[in-house]
Structures are given as C-alpha cells and as structure tokens.
Amino acid sequence: MLSQEFFDRDTLQVAKELVGNYLIRRYGKTVLAVKIAETEAYIGRLDKACHAYQYRKTERTKTLFAQPGTAYVYLIYGMHCCLNFVTEPEGEPAAVLIRGAEPRYGVDTIAENRFGCKEREMSTYQRKNFLNGPGKLCAGLKIDRSLNALPHGSRELEIVGSLSEVGLPDFPEDKAPQKIQIGKRIGIDYAEEAKDFPWRFYL
C-alpha cells in the first residue's frame, strides 16, 4: 500500500506519480483491481475548480481538510460519484481525482457493475468507454458516497504499486516504461483561469 507520506506531498507530484499504480476495491468477498490511467489535481488555496477554493469549508468539502490519503467521494449531476484522495498536510484542502483506469482483476464483475453483462458480452462502444471517466470508474468499482472520508489504510480502497503486493498476478505489459502525458483538466470551463492549468496526467 502506498504510504500516508506518499499523499502528504505536493498535489501535482502525487497526481503524476499515482498514474500507473493500482487501485484495489474490496466489498464483501469481492476484490477488484484497476490500473490508474488518468488523474487530475485540485488545490484549494489557489484553484477555482476546487470545491474548497480559498479554504471554503462546508459539510460537503470538510473531507478535503482531512488527513492525507483520505478518500473524498462526491456526486456530480446528482447521480455520478467521483473518487479523490486527499493530499498535502491535514487542514490544507487539496486532492487528486482518479479520472480513468484500465481493468486488471475482476473484470467480469466490473462489467456487470457498469453494463449488467460479462466482459465477453460487451460491445465495442462499451469497451471503449469502460472506465474512461470518474463516474464510470466509480460505477464499475461500486464506489459511492458511503466511502467518503474513508481513512488511509482502509481495506475497502487501497492503492498499491504492484498487484503482487495484494496476492494478485502482475501483468507483463505493465512492466514496460510508461510515458505520462500532461494536459488541461476536463469539464471545468467555469473555473476562469484555472481551466487552463496543466494539471491532468494520463497514459
């Protein structure tokens, strides 16, 4: 598991370094794993796209002020959940959004959560749009608001550097060097100058 110290750092660095790691989701006897393929950074002290811009603390945003590594799960459009991990020291509102991922373990279950079918039954369109968005990722992994404020170290959500750390088989193709791209964040046109910050990292 990535240490709490990993998250207790500059948010941009954490966002970049999370790409290529693995998100493990456990519920009941189910274990799912995905490779993190896309992240976005949000930093409240200066970022108009952040829910806690200028340290705005509300019932919704109070999780952003929690200890590093805490899960911040919120709703968009009143229906889709988004998963973030809090960064920087406690009291400094910042987090990394897990925007997209590639399935690695429990793929049939992820497909059933998303589309109500097995992986082999997915259409070409469904395969292309499997986990390529924060709401899609949360739907596939059964992540909802009940996990908001989940502390670092909880088994329900865990980020690891390799699948073998949690007893799952590694993927040979994941051993190849990865090139991380940098770009503007998506869907924040309301955020004035912050919409142009190059704070998105992706494979």
Side-chain angles (χ1 to χ4, degrees):
M1 175 186 294
L2 298 185
S3 68
Q4 192 166 45
E5 288 72 26
F6 175 91
F7 296 95
D8 191 7
R9 299 183 298 148
D10 175 76
T11 303
L12 295 178
Q13 196 65 32
V14 175
K16 183 177 181 180
E17 292 183 14
L18 276 175
V19 176
N21 285 282
Y22 300 89
L23 174 63
I24 310 299
R25 169 74 172 114
R26 296 183 181 91
Y27 57 92
K29 295 183 178 180
T30 300
V31 180
L32 308 174
V34 298
K35 180 180 179 180
I36 298 171
E38 185 177 2
T39 64
E40 290 180 349
Y42 290 85
I43 304 173
R45 61 183 172 272
L46 54 87
D47 178 12
K48 292 177 181 175
C50 182
H51 295 160
Y53 173 56
Q54 291 187 333
Y55 297 89
R56 182 171 60 244
K57 194 171 188 178
T58 66
E59 187 62 28
R60 181 196 197 196
T61 67
K62 65 182 182 182
T63 304
L64 281 167
F65 295 81
Q67 293 185 351
T70 300
Y72 173 47
V73 183
Y74 63 86
L75 276 174
I76 54 171
Y77 311 124
M79 57 189 297
H80 302 298
C81 285
C82 294
L83 171 66
N84 304 252
F85 287 94
V86 175
T87 55
E88 304 197 18
E90 184 175 1
E92 190 65 43
V96 173
L97 170 68
I98 309 300
R99 183 167 181 83
E102 301 170 358
R104 285 296 181 265
Y105 187 81
V107 184
D108 275 345
T109 301
I110 298 172
E112 288 171 351
N113 290 341
R114 278 280 286 128
F115 303 117
C117 66
K118 302 288 187 183
E119 180 193 15
R120 64 180 179 276
E121 300 166 337
M122 289 167 55
S123 68
T124 301
Y125 176 84
Q126 288 171 331
R127 291 179 186 278
K128 183 178 179 181
N129 295 280
F130 197 7
L131 301 175
N132 61 338
K136 300 172 187 178
L137 172 70
C138 285
L141 299 184
K142 276 202 171 181
I143 294 170
D144 58 26
R145 284 275 298 155
S146 69
L147 298 176
N148 182 51
L150 192 73
H152 176 269
S154 301
R155 280 179 54 82
E156 292 97 324
L157 290 174
E158 181 180 3
I159 298 180
V160 297
S162 69
L163 294 175
S164 60
E165 285 184 43
V166 290
L168 300 177
D170 285 317
F171 279 62
E173 58 267 35
D174 289 347
K175 300 297 184 182
Q178 60 182 23
K179 184 173 183 181
I180 297 177
Q181 308 292 322
I182 300 174
K184 297 178 183 179
R185 294 171 297 179
I186 295 171
I188 56 165
D189 289 342
Y190 60 85
E192 299 180 5
E193 74 280 355
K195 76 181 188 299
D196 295 320
F197 292 173
W199 288 3
R200 182 166 67 98
F201 304 88
Y202 58 98
L203 293 176

